[in-house]
Amino acid sequence: MLVAHLLLVSTLFYKVLICNAKKDCHKRCDCLGTYVDCSKTMLNALPEGLPLWMETLDLSGNKIDETLAINTSSYPHLTTMKLTKNSFVSFPIFVNRSTINNLNLAHNKIEKLEALGNLPSLKNLDMNKNKLTFLDDNSFSQSIHLKILNLNNNLITNLSANCLDTLTNLVEFKISHNKLNNLPVGLFKKLKNLETLDLGRNQITVIHGLLFKDLVNLKTIILRQNLIEDLQDGSFYGLIHLQSLHLEDNNLSKISKGWLYGLHSLIYLNISYNRIDQIKSGWEYCADLVELDLSYNKLQYIEKSNLENLRKLHKLHLNNNRLSFIEEGSFNNTPMLRTLQMDHNYLSWLIEDAKETFIGLRNLKKLSLANNKILFIKKEAFTGLDNLDELNLLQNNVLEIQDEAFKFMPNLVYLYLNSSSLVCDCSMAWLKQPNIFEELPFDFINAFCGFPEKNKGKNLKEVPLSDFVCLENSPKPIIIFHPESKMVLEGQNITLKCGVNSSSTEKINFVWKKDNHDLELISTNHYSSFELNGMTQFSVLNLYNISMSQSGKYQCVASNEFGITYSNRSILSVVVYPFFAKVPGNSSVKTGLTAKLECAANGYPVPQISWQKDGGTDFPAAQERRMKVMSRDDVFLIVDVKLVDMGIYSCTAKNVAGMIAANATLNVLEPPWFKGEMSNKQVRVGEEVVLECLSYGSPKPKIRWIKDGIYLTLSNRHYFTAENQLLVIMEANTDDSGTYQCEITNSLGVNSQKVDVLVMPLYRSLIHEYTLGLVVIAIILCIVIISTIWVLFVYKARRPSSNLINSADNKSLDSSNSKDSGTGESTKRSQEQLFNDSLNTPQKLNNNLGNLSPEINLPLLTHASVVLGENSVTYRHSKTATLPVQLHIKEPHETIEDSVKCIETFERPCSTPVPPPNETQNSPPIVQ
C-alpha cells in the first residue's frame, strides 16, 4: 500500500509540473518537461520568462547574429544549450559561472575560441562548421573537464604545440575537414585518455615518427582524405590499444612493416583508395587483424608472403585493383577468412588455368569474382571451398564450364552467373544431369547459349539434354603447338611459337603471358595455314636483347567467340656469363702469417668459385687443413703460410653459361737460413777443396764467400757452382788454409756461418798415408831384427853399398815447379801421384843408379818404434812394448826385375826381392 501511495503522489506531482511548465513556457517555445525547444522561431536574442527548471535549451535555427550575453544564474538546472544554425560571429559570453555540460555552436561563423572561463563544467563542445582558423595556447585554458571536442569543418591551418595541454580528460577529438598540413610533435602529449581522433579531410602530407606515442588509450584514428604519400617508420608507435585505423583516400604507394610496428591491438585497417601497387611483409605487428580493406588500389599481384601472419583475418577486400596474379598458396596464410572480395580485376586465369588457388579457405562463406573477364571455368578452379555458400561470377561472359566444376562447393546456396555466350555442346552436357541440374540455384543464374546455332539464344534451363551434342569440327580453339622451354644467354634474341587449330575462320585472339601476367608492348607475328580439319593459326613472340628480368614462365592464351585455351608454360631461363667482381691479385706473405686471396664473380645462375694451385686441386694447404674459404666475404685464406704454399693460384668461376678464370701469384717470404752446419775441412796440398753452403729462403738468397774477411772472386782455381752453393778450390796449397765464411742475403735479412780449412804440406800429408806408415814400421822392425845379417853381407861383399831409396825426391816435395827426369809430364801432380812416385823409386833406381844419393829422411832407430798420428809421427822408446814384426825373405831365385815389377803393380802380394850377391850384398832390403 505504501508503495502504491508513493507512485500515485509521484504521478500527480509530475502532472502538476507539466501543467505548470506549459503554463510558464514562452509563447514561441515548446516545453517538454525539462526540454525547452525554441528552435526555428525567428528569435534574434535569448528569450525571457523561460522555465526555471529547464535542463536543455534549444535555440537552433534562429537569427541570433550578435555577440550574445547569457546569464544562466536564473536557470540552475540548465546543462545543455543548442545554438546551432545561427549567425554568431564570436563565441557567446557567459556572464556568470555556468553548470552547462554540453554546448553546441555548430553551423555558425565564429572565428575564435574565447570566453570559456565561465564554463568550468563543460564536457562536450561542438564547433562544427564555423570559421575557426587557429588554436593557440589559451584556447582551452579553463576547459579541464572537456571530454568531447568537435572542430570539424573549420578553416584551421595551424595548431600550437601546447594548445591541447589542458584537455587531459579529452576522450574524443574531431578536427576533420580543415586545412591542417602539419601536426607539431608533442601536440598530443597530455591526451592520455583520448580514445577517438579524427584528422580526416585535411592536407596532411607527413606523419612524423612517434607523433602519437603518448596516446596510449587511443582506439580509433581517422586519417582518411589527406595527402599522405609515405608513412615513416614508427609513425604509429605507442598506440598499443589502437583497434581501428583509417587511411583511405590518400597517396600511399606501399605497405611496409616499418609503419605497422607496434599496432598489436589493431583489428580494422582500411587503406582503400590509395596508390598501393605492392604489399610487403610486416603483418606480424598486427597479427590480430580481422578486417583488411585494400580495395581501389593498383595491386597487380599477390605473392605468398604478402598475406603472412593474417591468420585471424575474417574479411579481405581486394576489389577494384589490377590483380592478374595470385601466387598459389597465398590464402594458406588466411585460414579464418569468411569474406573475400575480388571484383573488377583481371583474374580470369585464376579460374581458367590455375590450380588449388583457394586451398586453405575452408571457412570462406562469400567469394566475389564479378567482372574479371572469365571465359572458362576449370574443373579444379574452386578446390578447397568446402563451406562456400555464395559465389558471385556476374559480368563475366562465361563460354564454357568444365565437368563437375561446382562439385567442390557442396554447401553453395547463391550462385550469381550471367552469360549470353555459353557453348552448349557435349562439353556442357554434364550440367544438365538431373542430380546436378536440380541442385543448382537457378534463381540467381541468368545464362543463355551462344553456340551451336540450334541452341543459340536459349536459356540454359530451356535446352534439353539431348541437344548438348558434339560437333565433328569444333570451332573452339585447340592448342596443337606449345611454346618450347629454352635457355638463352643474356643479350640474345629468341622467339617462342604457339599454334592453335579451329574449324572457324574467325581470327584467333592471342595473348602472351609471363608468370601469369599479360605481356604488353611486345613484338608478335601472326600467320595462318589451312589444314584438312580447319585452319591453324600461329603466333610468334619475339624477344630482343633479352635480359635477366625476362626469365620466367611464358604461356600462350588463344580465344575466339567459342572458347579459350591455354598452352603449356614454357620456361625461359636467361643465364649470364660469369664475370669477376673481385679479381685475385698477386701478394707476398711472410712464413707463419696468413695469406688472403679475394675472388668473387657475378652471373646467373650464381657462379661456383673454385681454387687451384699450379694447375692442380690438391695442394699442401688443403691437405694440411690450413685452408679456409670465407664464402660470405669471397676470401680464400691460407693460415700458417709455408714455402710450399708459394705458387700460382687460379680462381675459377663457373655456371651453366660458361667458365672464367684468373690467376694470382703468391710469394712466400722467408729469411735466409741454412739447412745444416758446415764442417771443417782438412786436405793435402794439391787436392780439391769443396765447401757446401746449402741455404734456403724466399726470395732466394744471394750467396757470397769470404776468406779471412775478404770476398772471394772467380779465378783459375776457385769455382762457384750450384748457384754459388758450392765453393771448389782446385789444387789447394797452404795459402788456401784459413777461415771461410758463407754469407746469404735476401730482402728479409742476412745470415752466415764459418768453417776452417787446413791445407797440410806434402811431408805431413804423406805420413797420413797408411801404406807409407806401414812401410816405415816394416823398415824399422827389419833393421832391429836382422841388423847382424846386414853386417855379414857388407863384410863379405867388400864393395860399396847401394843407395837406400825409401822416400820421394825432396825437391819434388818442396817445389811444385820441378819436373820428372826425362818424362816430360806436367809439374802439377797430385798427392797420390807423388806418393806413387815415392813407391816406384826402385824402378827409377835401376835405370839411373848413378844419380841417386843415400839420403834418408826417416831416422833409423834400433830401439824404438813408430806410432802414426793424425797429423804427425810419434817415436816411442824401446821400453814401450811393441808387437813383433815378421819380415818375409825373398827366395834366392827371384830377380831384381821381378821385385821391381811387383812394386810397380800393387795388384798382388809379393815377397821382398833379394839382390844378387855381386850387386846387393851390401844393400838393405826394400820393404813393401
Side-chain angles (χ1 to χ4, degrees):
M1 291 294 293
L2 181 61
V3 174
H5 180 71
L6 290 174
L7 287 174
L8 179 61
V9 171
S10 300
T11 301
L12 293 174
F13 180 73
Y14 180 74
K15 289 182 178 181
V16 170
L17 288 176
I18 295 299
C19 293
N20 290 335
K22 290 181 179 180
K23 181 179 179 181
D24 297 336
C25 192
H26 192 277
K27 60 181 179 179
R28 293 188 181 183
C29 303
D30 293 325
C31 296
L32 304 174
T34 59
Y35 184 89
V36 177
D37 184 5
C38 299
S39 64
K40 299 179 182 180
T41 56
M42 307 297 289
L43 293 173
N44 55 14
L46 185 66
E48 298 180 358
L50 296 174
L52 300 179
W53 55 82
M54 66 177 178
E55 296 179 3
T56 301
L57 175 60
D58 187 354
L59 291 172
S60 60
N62 285 288
K63 296 184 177 181
I64 304 175
D65 58 358
E66 296 181 359
T67 301
L68 181 64
I70 301 175
N71 187 346
T72 61
S73 58
S74 302
Y75 311 107
H77 303 289
L78 184 63
T79 58
T80 301
M81 285 192 68
K82 296 182 179 181
L83 298 172
T84 63
K85 296 183 179 181
N86 280 277
S87 300
F88 290 107
V89 295
S90 61
F91 199 86
I93 298 175
F94 290 85
V95 297
N96 62 310
R97 294 179 67 84
S98 173
T99 58
I100 292 179
N101 294 329
N102 301 300
L103 179 60
N104 192 336
L105 288 166
H107 295 271
N108 281 283
K109 300 177 182 180
I110 300 174
E111 297 179 355
K112 186 178 180 181
L113 276 175
E114 56 187 354
L116 292 174
N118 285 331
L119 295 171
S121 301
L122 190 62
K123 294 182 179 180
N124 186 349
L125 175 60
D126 191 344
M127 296 290 296
N128 181 34
K129 287 197 174 182
N130 277 276
K131 294 186 177 181
L132 298 174
T133 57
F134 68 96
L135 299 179
D136 57 25
D137 294 348
N138 298 317
S139 296
F140 304 102
S141 58
Q142 303 296 324
S143 305
I144 59 174
H145 296 292
L146 197 63
K147 290 187 176 183
I148 299 174
L149 175 61
N150 187 348
L151 299 177
N152 291 343
N153 297 285
N154 278 275
L155 303 173
I156 301 174
T157 57
N158 293 306
L159 300 173
S160 69
N162 303 316
C163 66
L164 304 177
D165 286 359
T166 58
L167 305 180
T168 55
N169 292 303
L170 197 64
V171 174
E172 182 178 322
F173 180 32
K174 296 179 180 180
I175 192 170
S176 69
H177 209 299
N178 280 275
K179 296 185 178 182
L180 293 172
N181 56 20
N182 184 40
L183 299 176
V185 176
L187 177 66
F188 306 108
K189 60 180 177 295
K190 300 292 185 178
L191 306 185
K192 304 292 184 181
N193 295 305
L194 193 66
E195 295 182 1
T196 301
L197 174 61
D198 187 354
L199 292 165
R201 300 181 69 181
N202 278 282
Q203 300 174 9
I204 300 172
T205 58
V206 177
I207 300 295
H208 298 289
L210 306 180
L211 176 65
F212 305 113
K213 67 182 181 65
D214 298 305
L215 301 177
V216 293
N217 287 304
L218 194 68
K219 295 180 179 179
T220 300
I221 182 169
I222 301 172
L223 288 165
R224 65 166 67 98
Q225 290 182 283
N226 276 280
L227 302 175
I228 303 172
E229 294 185 357
D230 192 17
L231 291 168
Q232 298 180 2
D233 291 350
S235 293
F236 303 107
Y237 178 76
L239 301 180
I240 57 176
H241 291 106
L242 190 69
Q243 297 179 359
S244 180
L245 174 58
H246 295 259
L247 289 166
E248 58 266 34
D249 203 0
N250 278 280
N251 291 321
L252 294 173
S253 59
K254 63 181 179 180
I255 299 173
S256 62
K257 63 182 180 181
W259 60 265
L260 290 172
Y261 181 73
L263 299 178
H264 300 293
S265 300
L266 196 64
I267 294 176
Y268 175 80
L269 175 60
N270 191 334
I271 324 178
S272 61
Y273 293 94
N274 278 276
R275 296 185 296 109
I276 297 172
D277 57 4
Q278 60 178 321
I279 303 173
K280 294 185 178 180
S281 59
W283 303 114
E284 62 266 28
Y285 299 128
C286 42
D288 291 335
L289 208 59
V290 173
E291 184 172 355
L292 174 61
D293 193 343
L294 289 167
S295 60
Y296 294 92
N297 278 283
K298 296 182 179 181
L299 292 173
Q300 298 181 17
Y301 59 88
I302 292 179
E303 295 178 342
K304 187 182 298 185
S305 61
N306 295 158
L307 300 178
E308 284 183 347
N309 301 300
L310 291 175
R311 304 193 67 84
K312 295 183 179 180
L313 195 65
H314 285 190
K315 292 182 179 181
L316 177 59
H317 305 274
L318 296 171
N319 51 290
N320 297 89
N321 276 277
R322 300 176 182 177
L323 287 173
S324 61
F325 171 73
I326 298 177
E327 186 177 4
E328 183 178 321
S330 295
F331 295 120
N332 291 344
N333 299 311
T334 57
M336 302 303 295
L337 206 60
R338 301 288 194 276
T339 301
L340 178 57
Q341 296 278 352
M342 295 194 294
D343 302 339
H344 295 274
N345 282 288
Y346 304 97
L347 292 172
S348 57
W349 75 273
L350 197 69
I351 307 302
E352 296 170 353
D353 192 55
K355 295 181 180 179
E356 300 181 347
T357 304
F358 303 109
I359 291 293
L361 295 179
R362 302 288 180 183
N363 295 302
L364 193 67
K365 296 292 186 181
K366 181 178 180 180
L367 173 61
S368 183
L369 287 165
N371 198 357
N372 271 280
K373 297 181 172 59
I374 299 170
L375 300 178
F376 171 70
I377 298 177
K378 194 173 183 178
K379 178 179 180 179
E380 302 89 354
F382 302 111
T383 303
L385 301 179
D386 299 341
N387 293 300
L388 194 72
D389 58 21
E390 182 177 332
L391 175 61
N392 186 357
L393 294 172
L394 292 175
Q395 302 178 45
N396 290 292
N397 196 23
V398 178
L399 302 177
E400 184 178 351
I401 303 174
Q402 203 171 42
D403 187 13
E404 298 182 341
F406 302 129
K407 78 171 186 177
F408 298 102
M409 300 176 289
N411 298 319
L412 191 63
V413 177
Y414 305 99
L415 174 59
Y416 298 96
L417 175 66
N418 60 337
S419 175
S420 60
S421 304
L422 283 176
V423 179
C424 299
D425 60 3
C426 59
S427 63
M428 291 279 288
W430 68 273
L431 194 60
K432 296 293 290 188
Q433 297 296 326
N435 58 332
I436 297 175
F437 189 75
E438 294 173 358
E439 295 180 2
L440 287 177
F442 273 99
D443 294 340
F444 311 102
I445 297 176
N446 187 21
F448 295 85
C449 296
F451 181 84
E453 196 66 31
K454 179 181 180 180
N455 299 327
K456 187 175 182 178
K458 294 182 180 179
N459 192 296
L460 185 62
K461 293 186 289 185
E462 300 173 356
V463 182
L465 178 59
S466 59
D467 289 343
F468 286 82
V469 295
C470 293
L471 300 178
E472 184 175 348
N473 294 320
S474 175
K476 293 188 296 185
I478 301 174
I479 299 284
I480 61 170
F481 190 88
H482 296 268
E484 298 177 349
S485 295
K486 295 183 179 182
M487 179 181 291
V488 296
L489 194 62
E490 187 179 34
Q492 290 183 337
N493 302 331
I494 66 161
T495 60
L496 297 176
K497 184 178 180 182
C498 176
V500 178
N501 185 264
S502 172
S503 62
S504 173
T505 58
E506 179 189 353
K507 183 179 179 180
I508 299 291
N509 178 37
F510 287 97
V511 175
W512 284 90
K513 288 179 174 286
K514 174 184 175 292
D515 298 329
N516 296 312
H517 297 281
D518 290 352
L519 289 175
E520 299 177 356
L521 301 176
I522 56 175
S523 173
T524 57
N525 297 327
H526 301 278
Y527 63 93
S528 304
S529 64
F530 290 92
E531 308 292 342
L532 293 177
N533 58 345
M535 185 173 68
T536 301
Q537 300 186 46
F538 294 90
S539 176
V540 178
L541 172 65
N542 301 306
L543 299 175
Y544 302 105
N545 192 23
I546 199 164
S547 63
M548 280 298 302
S549 62
Q550 291 174 286
S551 294
K553 296 179 179 179
Y554 286 77
Q555 189 175 29
C556 167
V557 183
S559 62
N560 61 14
E561 62 176 331
F562 305 103
I564 187 171
T565 183
Y566 286 72
S567 73
N568 296 337
R569 292 177 175 86
S570 66
I571 300 175
L572 179 61
S573 301
V574 180
V575 296
V576 179
Y577 197 82
F579 61 94
F580 283 114
K582 294 181 181 178
V583 181
N586 299 337
S587 60
S588 299
V589 181
K590 290 183 180 180
T591 54
L593 299 181
T594 299
K596 182 172 75 171
L597 295 170
E598 290 185 313
C599 183
N602 293 330
Y604 189 84
V606 178
Q608 291 184 345
I609 302 294
S610 61
W611 287 91
Q612 291 182 323
K613 179 181 183 292
D614 299 327
T617 55
D618 294 331
F619 37 93
Q623 295 171 354
E624 298 171 10
R625 297 187 178 182
R626 293 184 291 107
M627 181 184 71
K628 295 182 179 179
V629 179
M630 313 297 289
S631 57
R632 293 184 179 178
D633 298 330
D634 305 315
V635 176
F636 171 73
L637 299 177
I638 300 177
V639 300
D640 190 19
V641 170
K642 300 180 180 179
L643 277 178
V644 293
D645 298 324
M646 186 159 50
I648 298 176
Y649 288 82
S650 301
C651 173
T652 302
K654 182 179 180 181
N655 66 8
V656 295
M659 181 180 70
I660 56 174
N663 295 332
T665 300
L666 175 62
N667 292 315
V668 179
L669 305 178
E670 184 179 44
W673 60 281
F674 295 100
K675 182 179 181 181
E677 293 290 333
M678 297 172 61
S679 58
N680 295 334
K681 294 286 185 177
Q682 186 171 295
V683 298
R684 300 185 300 264
V685 170
E687 288 187 339
E688 293 180 354
V689 178
V690 180
L691 299 179
E692 290 185 348
C693 181
L694 300 180
S695 62
Y696 295 92
S698 180
K700 193 168 187 177
K702 295 177 62 177
I703 302 176
R704 293 194 295 180
W705 291 90
I706 304 171
K707 178 180 180 295
D708 298 329
I710 300 174
Y711 288 102
L712 290 176
T713 58
L714 186 68
S715 70
N716 59 347
R717 291 193 310 111
H718 295 80
Y719 299 95
F720 304 102
T721 63
E723 298 179 337
N724 289 0
Q725 293 189 100
L726 296 180
L727 170 61
V728 180
I729 305 174
M730 303 296 294
E731 299 179 1
N733 58 45
T734 56
D735 292 338
D736 294 322
S737 297
T739 301
Y740 287 78
Q741 180 179 352
C742 175
E743 182 183 86
I744 55 177
T745 307
N746 69 7
S747 59
L748 299 182
V750 180
N751 202 353
S752 65
Q753 60 176 341
K754 297 179 179 180
V755 64
D756 291 328
V757 175
L758 175 62
V759 180
M760 297 182 297
L762 188 59
Y763 74 91
R764 295 181 62 188
S765 63
L766 286 176
I767 295 175
H768 284 284
E769 293 291 340
Y770 68 93
T771 306
L772 183 60
L774 292 176
V775 171
V776 172
I777 294 174
I779 292 173
I780 295 174
L781 291 176
C782 287
I783 292 173
V784 173
I785 296 175
I786 61 172
S787 58
T788 56
I789 299 175
W790 286 106
V791 173
L792 180 60
F793 278 121
V794 172
Y795 179 76
K796 249 182 173 184
R798 294 180 180 274
R799 56 182 297 165
S801 301
S802 300
N803 293 326
L804 180 63
I805 301 172
N806 57 5
S807 65
D809 189 356
N810 288 333
K811 293 182 180 180
S812 66
L813 291 173
D814 298 332
S815 175
S816 62
N817 298 323
S818 62
K819 295 182 179 180
D820 295 332
S821 299
T823 63
E825 295 177 357
S826 172
T827 61
K828 297 181 180 180
R829 294 174 295 170
S830 67
Q831 294 182 14
E832 185 179 358
Q833 289 173 331
L834 292 174
F835 179 66
N836 290 338
D837 289 346
S838 70
L839 293 180
N840 294 336
T841 303
Q843 181 178 0
K844 298 177 182 179
L845 174 64
N846 205 25
N847 297 329
N848 303 297
L849 288 175
N851 297 330
L852 296 177
S853 64
E855 293 181 4
I856 300 176
N857 290 329
L858 298 178
L860 301 178
L861 302 179
T862 58
H863 301 288
S865 61
V866 179
V867 179
L868 295 179
E870 183 177 357
N871 297 317
S872 64
V873 178
T874 304
Y875 301 93
R876 290 185 181 176
H877 194 268
S878 60
K879 291 181 180 181
T880 305
T882 60
L883 294 175
V885 178
Q886 184 75 28
L887 295 180
H888 180 73
I889 306 301
K890 176 70 180 176
E891 294 296 329
H893 62 271
E894 208 170 27
T895 66
I896 292 178
E897 293 179 2
D898 295 333
S899 177
V900 172
K901 291 179 181 178
C902 180
I903 295 175
E904 284 179 343
T905 60
F906 286 96
E907 294 179 358
R908 59 182 177 82
C910 58
S911 59
T912 304
V914 180
N918 58 350
E919 294 182 3
T920 62
Q921 287 180 356
N922 296 324
S923 299
I926 297 175
V927 181
Q928 182 177 356

